[in-house]
Amino acid sequence: MESTRRFGKYRVEREVLDEQRLEEVTQRKTHSDTHPSLTERLKDSLRCTVPKLKRSVMSSLPVLYWLPKYSVWDYGMPDLISGISVGIMHLPQGMAYALLASLPPVFGLYSSLYPALIYFFFGTSRHISIGTFTVLSIMVGSVTERLAPDVAFLKNNGTNFTAEVDITARDSYRVQVAAATTVLGGLIQVVLGLVKFGFVGTYLSEPLVRAYTTAAAGHAVVAQLKNILGISPTRFSGPLSLVYTLKDVCSLLPQTHLPTLVVSAVSMVFLIAAKELNSFLSSKLPVPIPVELITIVAATLISNYAYLNSNYTVSVVGEIPSGLSPPSVPDVSIFGEVIGDAFALAIVGYAISISLGKTFALKHGYKVDSNQELVALGLSNAVGGFFQCYSVCCSMSRSLIQETTGGKTQMAGVASAVIVLVTILKLGALFQELPKAVLAVIVFVNLKGMFKQYSDIVTLWRRSKFDLVVWLVTWVSTLLLNLDLGLAASISFALLTVIFRTQLPTYSVLGNVPGTELYVDIETHREVREIPGVTIFRSSATVYYANAELYLEALKEKSGLDISKMIIYKRRQEAKQKRRERRAERRAKRQAKREVKLFSVEEEAGGWMDTSIDGNDKEDQGWTERENGTVFVIPTSPRATDGHCRWEYLKGGDPDCTSLGWMSELQDGDTTTLGSSSEDTLSRDLERVSLGSLGKWTWDIHSIILDLSTANFIDTVAIKTMKNIFQDFSEIDVDIYMAGCQASVVEQLELGDFFSESITKRRLFASVHDAVLYCLNHRGAASFPRYEPSVVTNTCKGMGFFCLNSFFTSF
């Protein structure tokens, strides 16, 4: 259908495309063309070809893709320098973070060795450093201390009859718990990666992750207070464990071990000053100064020669076994007790790794496969668990060092693993006199970046209140409910905010930008004009079961049409009309028997009414008919003294003060006045059923266009709601059209049996502008003004209806 319309200075001359015509022009594919059957997909997945096999192997083992292309001259030296720098960081961090996991320090070194080697073969990121991380160490520590508390390993001292903790047995069982949790978490990650659930990490939004890590930093500080102060508080588990632990620490402050506190204070001052100097000179240094390694070497030497452990009872690391421990199968009986913690570790570790990996990939121009990353991280944890490692992921500080020192590939990870391996085999025994307070201080100082995340509160307050609420709820729930339950509560609340925002979207009526085919919200833009007789309605979110009813209510409010009241009134009027017709028929028969001549106005009224009324009957003193929502009342009173016929019509207004009066048709037809006639019985009768309760003239709007361009799906509840909208508005002579539907939405409408003989694809248009052009061509562009109950101006023809002329005679 060709259409020519002028919008301001913009002239439109093109075909108006509805959905049916668009499918004919574009030859849209059928559902079977775009969606192969399950049998076809199964056959395609089982079909094996050489190229397909090669792609599968390359995607499963990314090292086979980039290692043959590796250039030793271009990448060898940068990777070596970067690997050594990261390896030096692995040593203090591995031992320090092992304390957070409530494990002996050597197991932190194991966790820095094996997973990095596994990731070398399966990972797709070139710059992240796999190993121990603060948050995961705290999460593992909460599991180990819950399942292996100190009170479960008390033994009697034969000399003074006091109970002591069997540290060897306790640490051995905690290692088993940590290994079992790590293996189970790794298997969960591998399964999720194989079934292409790499997108699961996207449910952890950035505000949620930052708030979670900030709260985890609080747990880390409280956990390390015992090593910094030299006290032995009771470690609690479960909800509010942080509060109970902090309360116990405060009660033990008078028992603070002063030599340990001095060691902690000196180490902290040195570390903070050295890190600040390192940051100040970072632009002038080729590689950062390994201040943490210098700190632990210096502290070990001082402790060894000053005999801090024997003379001042300062707690030290103790024996570090040389060599590698053989692999062992984890205790599968523990799986049932740690499955929730394992799932939380799997999700949090993956979310942190993939977010950092994608950041570096975007910066350096390569692609990170989210599903393969999930598999690589899962294998690193699952295989590492057999070698007594605990859960790992990438560390932000080490990854930044690996990237800034020139690392190009995961060969840097291999170089760092070699540094850790040499330390375990040859240098581990040298750190036996290292004070635990120094490792606790290293953890405390490294949390500086997480403490800075409290500034997110101010930033989110200015940018997004919803994200701020998510941040605060995540922070509070993680602090109070512990790390596992806090994560579950945080994700649940974040998803609820998404549902809440889609359930209560913004509804708007659109207007045309003059000279364009654009349509924007008339409430937020001044220079737009509403299309006469057409209401364009849009929701900012997709329509589905949670907001379908609200969508209908918003449509009624924005269009001004109270469809329920209008339909009820229409049906009442139809019922009354039928009763009047039956009474008139009975009276006609009685009058025929009396041979009383009846007068009919049907011929002169052009088919408007066919009713005879007894002059003595007060209930039926006129005829009524509707045109475009107007109720006309033709009284039986004689002509006026001026010779003009007089007629009445019923007009909508305020529900509490409707008006019914006499209309005097002037000879020139320019002006019509409305008076009152309280004496007229018919007026008093019809005043009770006036259109005033409707709240709006029905001829103001002849078409409503539903802009569904924001919808990406539509469910069965929304389809039923759309059907009801079409059916209800058609009863009051308002046409409904849909525009901007995506192909997937049209397909879902077809599958939901939305289309029928009354609702065809002719009601769907490719764009809002196409729908507007069709409405203007089909129903016209006349603007129908609204009128006050007292006075009506302009000619009747300009109002979209015609006046009744003097077509009846007096009795």
Side-chain angles (χ1 to χ4, degrees), residues 90-160:
H90 266 302
L91 301 179
Q93 288 188 4
M95 291 188 290
Y97 293 161
L99 294 182
L100 288 177
S102 299
L103 299 174
V106 68
F107 293 96
L109 296 179
Y110 292 159
S111 301
S112 302
L113 171 62
Y114 295 106
L117 296 177
I118 300 299
Y119 187 83
F120 169 80
F121 293 98
F122 297 96
T124 59
S125 176
R126 304 174 188 174
H127 295 91
I128 64 174
S129 173
I130 297 296
T132 55
F133 184 60
T134 312
V135 176
L136 296 192
S137 300
I138 300 170
M139 296 175 71
V140 172
S142 66
V143 179
T144 55
E145 295 203 4
R146 186 182 78 243
L147 298 183
D150 290 341
V151 294
F153 297 92
L154 296 177
K155 62 179 181 179
N156 293 326
N157 191 326
T159 57
N160 52 11

Side-chain angles (χ1 to χ4, degrees), residues 139 142-143 146 181 337-346 484:
M139 296 175 71
S142 66
V143 179
R146 186 182 78 243
T181 306
E337 300 179 75
V338 299
I339 184 170
D341 303 280
F343 187 82
L345 285 165
D484 48 357

Side-chain angles (χ1 to χ4, degrees), residues 183-196:
V183 171
L184 184 57
L187 293 177
I188 292 174
Q189 289 174 326
V190 171
V191 172
L192 291 177
L194 293 177
V195 297
K196 309 300 181 183

Side-chain angles (χ1 to χ4, degrees), residues 307-488:
Y307 302 102
L308 296 180
N309 180 246
S310 58
N311 294 340
Y312 302 99
T313 64
V314 174
S315 179
V316 294
V317 170
E319 182 182 358
I320 298 180
S322 299
L324 301 175
S325 60
S328 61
V329 179
D331 188 356
V332 295
S333 63
I334 305 176
F335 283 1
E337 300 179 75
V338 299
I339 184 170
D341 303 280
F343 187 82
L345 285 165
I347 299 301
V348 173
Y350 169 69
I352 295 173
S353 297
I354 194 63
S355 60
L356 199 58
K358 287 186 175 181
T359 301
F360 288 127
L362 183 64
K363 180 178 180 180
H364 294 276
Y366 62 92
K367 183 180 179 181
V368 171
D369 187 345
S370 58
N371 293 310
Q372 182 60 29
E373 281 295 296
L374 198 51
V375 173
L377 196 60
L379 290 174
S380 299
N381 281 311
V383 175
F386 285 89
F387 292 90
Q388 291 79 51
C389 300
Y390 66 89
S391 295
V392 298
C393 68
C394 75
S395 167
M396 183 176 297
S397 59
R398 292 195 307 270
S399 299
L400 288 174
I401 293 298
Q402 182 167 323
E403 190 257 348
T404 54
T405 53
K408 303 296 183 181
T409 67
Q410 278 301 325
M411 289 296 292
V414 174
S416 66
V418 170
I419 299 296
V420 176
L421 178 62
V422 172
T423 303
I424 294 173
L425 295 177
K426 300 296 181 182
L427 305 178
L430 300 179
F431 296 105
Q432 292 181 0
E433 295 298 321
L434 173 65
K436 289 184 178 180
V438 176
L439 295 178
V441 167
I442 292 175
V443 172
F444 189 87
V445 173
N446 283 338
L447 294 174
K448 174 185 175 183
M450 293 186 182
F451 290 142
K452 287 183 176 180
Q453 293 178 161
Y454 281 105
S455 62
D456 291 352
I457 297 176
V458 179
T459 303
L460 294 177
W461 174 261
R462 295 195 302 263
R463 295 180 180 178
S464 174
K465 301 297 189 298
F466 274 103
D467 288 339
L468 175 61
V469 173
V470 171
W471 198 101
L472 293 175
V473 170
T474 301
W475 182 77
V476 172
S477 60
T478 305
L479 283 178
L480 299 182
L481 302 180
N482 219 336
L483 295 172
D484 48 357
L485 294 179
L487 178 64

Side-chain angles (χ1 to χ4, degrees), residues 24 96 118 147 226 355 449 474 502 706 712 722 736 748 751:
E24 295 174 356
I118 300 299
L147 298 183
K226 63 179 182 180
S355 60
T474 301
T502 58
L706 306 179
N712 58 347
M722 291 297 174
I736 302 294
Q748 290 165 2
L751 296 176

Side-chain angles (χ1 to χ4, degrees), residues 667-729:
Q667 189 169 4
D668 56 4
D670 291 336
T671 307
T672 305
T673 60
L674 182 66
S676 67
S677 180
S678 60
E679 294 83 1
D680 190 89
T681 307
L682 177 62
S683 300
R684 290 197 303 269
D685 180 60
L686 292 181
E687 193 171 10
R688 295 193 296 268
V689 293
S690 71
L691 279 171
S693 61
L694 304 187
K696 180 169 180 174
W697 288 102
T698 57
W699 62 76
D700 284 345
I701 298 173
H702 57 68
S703 302
I704 294 178
I705 300 173
L706 306 179
D707 181 7
L708 298 181
S709 58
T710 58
N712 58 347
F713 73 94
I714 188 167
D715 59 9
T716 55
V717 177
I719 291 175
K720 185 177 180 180
T721 301
M722 291 297 174
K723 282 185 177 180
N724 293 336
I725 291 175
F726 273 81
Q727 294 170 0
D728 292 345
F729 279 89

